[in-house]
Amino acid sequence: MPRKSFAGKLWVDLGTGCGIVGLAAAHSGVPNVYLTDTPSVIQQGYIARNVYNNPIEEGSSSVSVLELDWFKIDALSEDSGLPLFGQTVDTVTGADITYSRDAIAPLVSDGVLRIR
């Protein structure tokens, strides 16, 4: 089966955990992949370690690990400094990303997902 063209696409994996979904996207040829999770998960180092241990062919994809706290509604504001601000995201994934009802409202609010 022919590969789908991912040229110029931007992929964001919410609540990435160990990063497997986003890393699979990068290994499939998606050129720009952001693995996002809460600061406490990022600081554990598992995601960065998995990115390091599963290298992407040089020049084929860019994988970035970013802190994204859904409870901070301004997470994607211009002042946040987050590289995703103002970009069109082509694909948003999230597998098993919330364990609390409290996290659902911030996830679908204007601050995290702006679906057009």
Side-chain angles (χ1 to χ4, degrees), residues 1 7 14 24 27-28 42 59 80 82 86-87 102 113:
M1 178 162 59
L14 297 174
H27 279 281
S28 296
I42 299 289
S80 70
L82 196 63
Q87 295 193 50
D102 295 340
L113 296 178

Side-chain angles (χ1 to χ4, degrees), residues 12 15 28 32-33 42 53 57 61-64 70 72-73 80 83 86 88 90 94 112-113:
V12 175
S28 296
N32 301 297
V33 177
I42 299 289
N53 288 330
E57 184 178 320
S61 293
S62 168
V63 177
S64 301
W70 305 343
K72 294 182 179 175
I73 297 300
S80 70
T88 299
D90 301 291
V112 177
L113 296 178

Side-chain angles (χ1 to χ4, degrees), residues 15-116:
T16 198
C18 66
I20 193 167
V21 174
L23 285 169
H27 279 281
S28 296
V30 177
N32 301 297
V33 177
Y34 288 94
L35 308 177
T36 70
D37 215 313
T38 61
S40 63
V41 172
I42 299 289
Q43 291 165 6
Q44 290 174 10
Y46 298 118
I47 303 167
R49 190 171 323 133
N50 285 340
V51 170
Y52 177 80
N53 288 330
N54 295 279
I56 311 301
E57 184 178 320
E58 192 171 323
S60 66
S61 293
S62 168
V63 177
S64 301
V65 177
L66 297 175
E67 291 182 3
L68 183 60
D69 187 342
W70 305 343
F71 290 94
K72 294 182 179 175
I73 297 300
D74 62 349
L76 293 183
S77 72
E78 189 170 8
D79 296 333
S80 70
L82 196 63
L84 294 173
F85 177 76
Q87 295 193 50
T88 299
V89 176
D90 301 291
T91 303
V92 176
T93 54
D96 218 11
I97 58 175
T98 182
Y99 300 97
S100 166
R101 285 181 172 221
D102 295 340
I104 295 171
L107 172 63
V108 296
S109 74
D110 228 18
V112 177
L113 296 178
R114 293 185 177 131
I115 300 172
R116 298 175 204 187

